[in-house]
C-alpha cells in the first residue's frame, strides 16, 4: 500500500515523532510505501511531495517543527479543491492518507473521508482543545516553555516592583494559560472561556503589591473582558475564518497602569511555545499516536482519529473529534481561583 502523510495547521513539537513512528512501523512491520505531502493540504492540492522512507526519518525524533512543512491552506474554500486532491492522490497512486493536525486540518480530513478518501487522523495542537482525546502532543511542551518563562518573570518583577503580564497562546481554549499559570504560581489567570472583570484584575494586582511581592498575570491570547469594559482591536482572518489574535497583554498592561498607578510590562511568548525540542511526554505520546495510526490504516479503519483516553490509545470517529472544541470547564477554572491573589 502507498500511504501519504501530511502535517497541517500550526507546527508544534512532536510532529516529527509521529512521522517517524508511522514510517518506521509502516515500512518495517507492514511493508508499506510512503510519500510525504509538503506544507499541509497544499501538498495534495498541488501535487507537491517529498520522499518519505526510513532514511528520511532518521534522527528527527528530538527535532521540533515538521520535516514535511505546514500551512493553513483550506482546500474546502477553493473551487474544486476536494476533487483536485482526489485526482492528485489517484495520479500518485496513493491508497490512503494520514493527516496530522488540529481541528481545521482534521475537519478537512473528515470532509474528504465523507467524499470517499481513505483518511486516518492524528491529533496535534498545543492548545489541547481537540475533542475526544485527553491530551494532544505539543501541549506539554508548550506548558513547560510557558512555566519556564513565568519562573523567570517572577524574579525580575520583584526586582523592579512591576506587574508583569505573560501572554500565551489559546484562541478559544485556556488550557495552556490555566496549566502554566497554576504551575508557575501566577496571581491572575485569564482564559477565553470566562470573560474577566478588569476591576477585579486590578484588585488582585494591588493586593499582591501589599504583600511586598510583584504580581504575575498569565493571559490567553483569546481572553476578553466583560462587555463594555475595554476596547479590543479585531485582527484579519486566516483561511479558516479565524481572527489573528495578539495584543490582549498590552491592553491589560495599559489598563493596569491607568487604574492602579503601578508599572506594568508584557511578555508575549507567541511562537516560542511552538518551537524547539519536544518534552519526553510529547515524544512518547506522539510516537504512540503514530504507531496506532499506521495500524488503523493496516486494519482499513478509516474515518478515525487516534486518541488518548486515560492511559490507552484508542480510535474515535473524525466526526466526534471535530464536532466541538474541548474547552476549560468553568468549574475547574473556579477551583483554581483559590490560588490567585
Amino acid at each position: 500500500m502507498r500511504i501519504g502523510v501530511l502535517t497541517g495547521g500550526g507546527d508544534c513539537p512532536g510532529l516529527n515523532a509521529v512521522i517517524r513512528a508511522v514510517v518506521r512501523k509502516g515500512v518495517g512491520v507492514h511493508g508499506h510505501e510512503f510519500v510525504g505531502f509538503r506544507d499541509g493540504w497544499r501538498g495534495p492540492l498541488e501535487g507537491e511531495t517529498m520522499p518519505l522512507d526510513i532514511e528520511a526519518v532518521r534522527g528527527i525524533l528530538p527535532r521540533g517543527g515538521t520535516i514535511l512543512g505546514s500551512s493553513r491552506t483550506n482546500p474546502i474554500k477553493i473551487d474544486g479543491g476536494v476533487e483536485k486532491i482526489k485526482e492528485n492522490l489517484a495520479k500518485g497512486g496513493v491508497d490512503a492518507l494520514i493527516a496530522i493536525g488540529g481541528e481545521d486540518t482534521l475537519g478537512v480530513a473528515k470532509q474528504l473521508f465523507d467524499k470517499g478518501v481513505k483518511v486516518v487522523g492524528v491529533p496535534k495542537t498545543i492548545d489541547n482543545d481537540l475533542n475526544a482525546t485527553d491530551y494532544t502532543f505539543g501541549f506539554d511542551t508548550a506548558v513547560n516553555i510557558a512555566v519556564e518563562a513565568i519562573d523567570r518573570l517572577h524574579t525580575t518583577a520583584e526586582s523592579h516592583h512591576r506587574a508583569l503580564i505573560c501572554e500565551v497562546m489559546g484562541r478559544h481554549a485556556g488550557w495552556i494559560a490555566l496549566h502554566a499559570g497554576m504551575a508557575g504560581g501566577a496571581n491572575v489567570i485569564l482564559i477565553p472561556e470566562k470573560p474577566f472583570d478588569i476591576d477585579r484584575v486590578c484588585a488582585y494586582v494591588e493586593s499582591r503589591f501589599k504583600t511586598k511581592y510583584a504580581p504575575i498575570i498569565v493571559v490567553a491570547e483569546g481572553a476578553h473582558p466583560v462587555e463594555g469594559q475595554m476596547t479590543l482591536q479585531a485582527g484579519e482572518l486566516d483561511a479558516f475564518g479565524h481572527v489573528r489574535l495578539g495584543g490582549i497583554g498590552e491592553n491589560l498592561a495599559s489598563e493596569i497602569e491607568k487604574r492602579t498607578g503601578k508599572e506594568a510590562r508584557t511578555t508575549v511568548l507567541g511562537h516560542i511555545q511552538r518551537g524547539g525540542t519536544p518534552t519526553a511526554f510529547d515524544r512518547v505520546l506522539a510516537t504512540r499516536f503514530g504507531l496506532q495510526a499506521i495500524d488503523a490504516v493496516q486494519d482499513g479503519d478509516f474515518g478515525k482519529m487516534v486518541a488518548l483516553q486515560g492511559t490507552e490509545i484508542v480510535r474515535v470517529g473524525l466526526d466526534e473529534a471535530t464536532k466541538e472544541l474541548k474547552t476549560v470547564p468553568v468549574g475547574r477554572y473556579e477551583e483554581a481561583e483559590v490560588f490567585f491573589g
Side-chain angles (χ1 to χ4, degrees), residues 12-308:
C12 80
L15 282 166
N16 287 323
V18 179
I19 297 167
R20 172 180 176 269
V22 164
V23 173
R24 287 184 69 87
K25 187 170 188 180
V27 173
V29 176
H30 300 307
H32 296 312
E33 178 187 356
F34 291 88
V35 57
F37 285 104
R38 300 301 306 268
D39 302 334
W41 289 114
R42 189 178 70 80
L45 188 65
E46 299 179 4
E48 190 166 340
T49 65
M50 64 173 279
L52 199 56
D53 53 17
I54 294 290
E55 189 60 35
V57 300
R58 292 193 192 282
I60 68 172
L61 177 64
R63 285 177 55 183
T66 164
I67 61 170
L68 296 177
S70 190
S71 74
R72 295 194 181 277
T73 302
N74 185 359
I76 307 301
K77 293 286 184 71
I78 298 171
D79 288 340
V82 171
E83 293 307 315
K84 185 68 174 177
I85 286 176
K86 292 178 68 175
E87 179 184 317
N88 284 333
L89 293 178
K91 189 183 301 182
V94 176
D95 303 297
L97 191 62
I98 294 177
I100 311 167
E103 57 158 330
D104 294 325
T105 300
L106 296 186
V108 173
K110 167 64 170 59
Q111 295 191 53
L112 286 171
F113 174 71
D114 290 342
K115 296 180 183 297
V117 178
K118 296 177 179 178
V119 183
V120 169
V122 178
K124 173 260 7 162
T125 167
I126 66 170
D127 290 334
N128 199 42
D129 59 1
L130 264 171
N131 197 40
T133 185
D134 292 344
Y135 285 99
T136 54
F137 68 88
F139 173 67
D140 186 69
T141 304
V143 168
N144 275 279
I145 290 168
V147 169
E148 182 181 353
I150 294 165
D151 288 347
R152 294 175 182 275
L153 290 174
H154 272 291
T155 57
T156 188
E158 289 163 15
S159 297
H160 291 277
H161 314 293
R162 290 171 173 159
L164 288 188
I165 299 157
C166 182
E167 182 182 315
V168 300
M169 286 185 168
R171 175 182 300 280
H172 302 294
W175 293 108
I176 294 176
L178 182 61
H179 282 237
M182 289 181 67
N187 309 107
V188 179
I189 301 171
L190 306 176
I191 62 175
E193 293 86 339
K194 186 178 174 70
F196 62 85
D197 182 333
I198 187 62
D199 292 325
R200 193 173 182 198
V201 171
C202 291
Y204 275 129
V205 168
E206 292 179 318
S207 173
R208 179 67 170 177
F209 274 121
K210 287 176 182 176
T211 68
K212 306 303 181 185
Y213 287 90
I216 300 291
I217 298 115
V218 176
V219 56
E221 62 184 350
H224 52 94
V226 295
E227 192 171 348
Q229 282 198 341
M230 293 168 57
T231 302
L232 304 180
Q233 186 174 355
E236 58 189 56
L237 302 181
D238 66 15
F240 288 91
H242 299 309
V243 175
R244 185 170 295 171
L245 297 176
I248 184 61
E250 286 295 340
N251 276 300
L252 271 173
S254 176
E255 287 292 326
I256 288 170
E257 288 193 344
K258 183 167 60 179
R259 292 167 183 256
T260 69
K262 303 293 186 180
E263 193 175 3
R265 292 289 185 272
T266 300
T267 296
V268 181
L269 295 186
H271 287 78
I272 291 173
Q273 295 157 96
R274 291 195 182 280
T277 188
T279 60
F281 180 90
D282 279 341
R283 296 184 202 192
V284 172
L285 180 59
T287 298
R288 294 181 70 196
F289 277 160
L291 296 176
Q292 184 65 234
I294 191 59
D295 283 349
V297 172
Q298 177 68 17
D299 295 342
D301 196 9
F302 299 109
K304 299 292 179 62
M305 180 191 83
V306 296
L308 178 69

